[in-house]
Amino acid sequence: MINFKTIIRIIGILLLLETVMFLVCSSVSFYYRESDMLDFWKAGGITAGIGLLLAALGKGGERQLTRRDGYVLVSFAWVAFSLFGMLPFYIGGYIPDIADAFFETMSGFSSTGATILDDIESLPHGILFWRSMTQWIGGLGIIMFTIAVLPIFGVSGLQVFAAEASGPTHDKVHPRIGITAKWIWSIYTGITTLLVCLLMLGGMDWFDSICHAFATTGTGGFSTKQASVAYYNSPYPKKRRKLPYSYSPALSWLRYGVLGVFIIALIAGIGSLAALLAPYSAYGRIANNLFQPIWQWGNNLLAYLAERADSYAFYETDVWLKSLPTFIIAAATLAVLVVLAGRNGRTYCNTICPVGTVLGFLSRYSLFRITIDSEKCNQCSLCSRNCKAACINFKEHQIDASRCVVCMNCIEKCKHGAISYKYHPFGKPAAGKADSEQINETRRSFFTATALVAATSVLKAQEKKVDGGLAAIEDKPNFRNTFV
């Protein structure tokens, strides 16, 4: 049986806590002397009344929740929080449609970030603050907030956590799940506070800093401005960085040489050499020998600190390194990748990596490719200086398709519309007028020859009557009376 009394009581308590949030937002409205303060009071009165009623109806319920109770509580808590959370939007007339108000609120609590508002800056400060707070609460989860306060009322939050969590399960955390939830919320609040300070140092006022910190920490994206953070044009000063890239001819001897060595190593059964050149093997070595130990050391540090605070949210694990040579090879590979990517962009991908070489060879015959219109190009070299593949020869108006990854950066950077992504039949380069006439003539000849061959085949087929295409049809004797 589902413990409805306890579930109703917990939802009532949550609504009372939501009322407190309304009062916090009304204080923001009072500070700015705006009329939405009354809207929050009305919404808070309705929410508090329903919350007290549910809390009273839920008295006498069992203090222990089952897993089924946890699933029911999680579902109803999200809906209830959103239903009453939309009241300030609807009562104040800022979002007059109930469906739109519910959508906006649910988008905030689920940290989705979608909105139906098209004039955000016309909203009062209290509504904007509540809008951002929904994302902050929803970022870590309403249920995680519930778990943190359940022990106050003598109710276990373990099954609620098991119903809500998508990662660790209840048997991997400390039995005192409330302590774990409080620790997580403390870290979450600390990160938010740090972000508020950084935004204020960047030039934002306290209100915009808090609202954007709420939305950023909750990974939602709500803003107090219609243009979002683009409104501020970056509060922090940026040093203009010189574009580091430029065109360089393809090193075909290196590309196909590495590919040849890789193929020979595979055929000869030299697995160590093949694994050294294979990009996926290189990534596996880096992840297992560098990233994983660092992650485990960080986990052990958190386990040490958590244990001192009487929490076992983290468990100490053994850090194991396979061998010193493997570690050195992984570190050297990562260093080479970082240097090549920082200085030359995609040099490793389109010059050294054997997989990239094979894909680049196939790209030479692609039906769609980026081309440069020589009549529109003024040779500003902006496309070439933004190309990480170093494949744009702006002087010759050519792009090396075997190295181009179609990132479209050049199309975005070109201010004259000289670069476009076009269809090229049979993977041939872009053609001029004379070449176009020749191609059209070739097409006509091809289609004419195809039509003649097809017509001839049809005539030949009419001359022969075949049964399934295997043998000529012959009159068959009538066996109807054979077995009479």
Side-chain angles (χ1 to χ4, degrees):
M1 291 292 293
I2 298 176
N3 190 0
F4 282 107
K5 279 194 172 184
T6 304
I7 293 173
I8 290 174
R9 178 174 171 80
I10 294 173
I11 292 177
I13 295 169
L14 285 177
L15 293 181
L16 292 177
L17 292 173
E18 191 170 21
T19 303
V20 175
M21 298 175 193
F22 287 157
L23 296 178
V24 173
C25 295
S26 69
S27 65
V28 176
S29 302
F30 176 78
Y31 177 84
Y32 286 99
R33 300 184 182 278
E34 293 174 331
S35 60
D36 58 328
M37 179 178 63
L38 296 177
D39 301 326
F40 282 109
W41 285 359
K42 294 176 184 178
I46 296 173
T47 306
I50 301 297
L52 288 173
L53 178 61
L54 293 177
L57 292 175
K59 279 188 175 181
E62 297 181 6
R63 294 183 178 272
Q64 200 69 26
L65 294 175
T66 64
R67 182 180 290 269
R68 181 181 298 178
D69 297 335
Y71 286 120
V72 175
L73 175 59
V74 167
S75 303
F76 279 97
W78 278 98
V79 176
F81 238 68
S82 299
L83 277 175
F84 288 91
M86 76 175 184
L87 291 179
F89 296 117
Y90 183 71
I91 293 175
Y94 307 107
I95 304 179
D97 185 77
I98 293 180
D100 289 343
F102 181 79
F103 176 88
E104 190 76 14
T105 310
M106 180 59 81
S107 175
F109 281 126
S110 61
S111 66
T112 304
T115 181
I116 53 92
L117 299 172
D118 57 1
D119 190 10
I120 296 174
E121 295 177 35
S122 65
L123 298 176
H125 289 79
I127 293 294
L128 291 175
F129 192 84
W130 170 241
R131 188 167 172 265
S132 299
M133 183 179 282
T134 58
Q135 290 204 323
W136 189 70
I137 297 296
L140 195 54
I142 295 173
I143 306 305
M144 188 62 71
F145 179 74
T146 307
I147 293 171
V149 299
L150 281 182
I152 300 175
F153 304 95
V155 179
S156 172
L158 187 59
Q159 300 302 333
V160 181
F161 177 80
E164 169 71 2
S166 58
T169 55
H170 64 280
D171 58 343
K172 295 182 180 179
V173 295
H174 193 270
R176 297 169 64 181
I177 189 66
I179 296 178
T180 302
K182 290 175 183 177
W183 262 90
I184 295 175
W185 265 104
S186 300
I187 297 173
Y188 190 66
T189 305
I191 294 174
T192 306
T193 305
L194 177 61
L195 184 56
V196 170
C197 296
L198 292 175
L199 291 175
M200 292 183 69
L201 290 174
M204 283 188 185
D205 58 37
W206 70 269
F207 177 78
D208 287 344
S209 297
I210 293 176
C211 289
H212 283 90
F214 280 172
T216 302
T217 313
T219 65
F222 280 168
S223 175
T224 57
K225 305 297 181 183
Q226 188 66 35
S228 191
V229 292
Y231 169 87
Y232 301 95
N233 195 22
S234 181
Y236 287 94
K238 294 190 298 182
K239 182 180 179 181
R240 188 175 180 85
R241 187 172 64 92
K242 183 179 178 182
L243 298 174
Y245 309 112
S246 61
Y247 171 74
S248 61
L251 301 177
S252 300
W253 63 270
L254 179 60
R255 300 173 69 187
Y256 295 108
V258 173
L259 177 61
V261 171
F262 178 75
I263 294 174
I264 293 172
L266 287 178
I267 297 174
I270 309 176
S272 57
L273 181 58
L276 185 64
L277 298 176
Y280 306 110
S281 300
Y283 171 76
R285 281 192 302 272
I286 294 173
N288 289 330
N289 294 276
L290 293 180
F291 296 157
Q292 185 177 8
I294 293 174
W295 178 271
Q296 291 174 334
W297 285 326
N299 174 80
N300 291 345
L301 176 61
L302 292 176
Y304 174 80
L305 297 175
E307 185 179 358
R308 298 299 180 274
D310 194 25
S311 174
Y312 293 88
F314 302 93
Y315 286 90
E316 186 174 348
T317 59
D318 295 331
V319 182
W320 179 66
L321 297 177
K322 292 184 177 180
S323 64
L324 182 60
T326 306
F327 178 84
I328 294 175
I329 292 174
T333 304
L334 180 61
V336 170
L337 288 175
V338 171
V339 172
L340 289 178
R343 293 177 58 87
N344 306 103
R346 297 189 174 95
T347 301
Y348 174 82
C349 299
N350 59 25
T351 302
I352 299 175
C353 175
V355 176
T357 301
V358 173
L359 295 177
F361 177 80
L362 297 176
S363 298
R364 295 175 59 184
Y365 303 96
S366 59
L367 296 177
F368 294 88
R369 65 175 59 184
I370 297 176
T371 57
I372 301 177
D373 189 341
S374 57
E375 295 181 357
K376 295 181 180 180
C377 179
N378 65 348
Q379 296 189 352
C380 65
S381 75
L382 194 59
C383 58
S384 179
R385 288 183 288 128
N386 280 277
C387 179
K388 297 179 181 179
C391 64
I392 301 179
N393 185 355
F394 69 94
K395 295 181 179 179
E396 302 292 336
H397 305 116
Q398 294 179 352
I399 297 179
D400 186 357
S402 67
R403 291 185 291 164
C404 177
V405 295
V406 197
C407 64
M408 305 293 185
N409 288 342
C410 53
I411 297 178
E412 179 183 351
K413 296 296 181 180
C414 184
K415 300 178 181 180
H416 304 280
I419 304 179
S420 59
Y421 187 59
K422 293 182 177 180
Y423 168 75
H424 294 283
F426 307 109
K428 293 183 178 180
K433 293 183 178 180
D435 294 334
S436 298
E437 294 176 358
Q438 183 178 358
I439 290 174
N440 291 334
E441 186 64 31
T442 304
R443 283 182 179 175
R444 285 193 212 98
S445 302
F446 172 76
F447 287 129
T448 302
T450 304
L452 289 175
V453 172
T456 305
S457 300
V458 172
L459 293 175
K460 290 287 186 183
Q462 290 296 327
E463 294 176 359
K464 297 181 179 180
K465 293 182 179 180
V466 295
D467 183 10
L470 298 176
I473 297 176
E474 298 178 357
D475 291 335
K476 297 179 181 179
N478 189 353
F479 296 98
R480 185 170 52 185
N481 299 324
T482 304
F483 301 101
V484 176

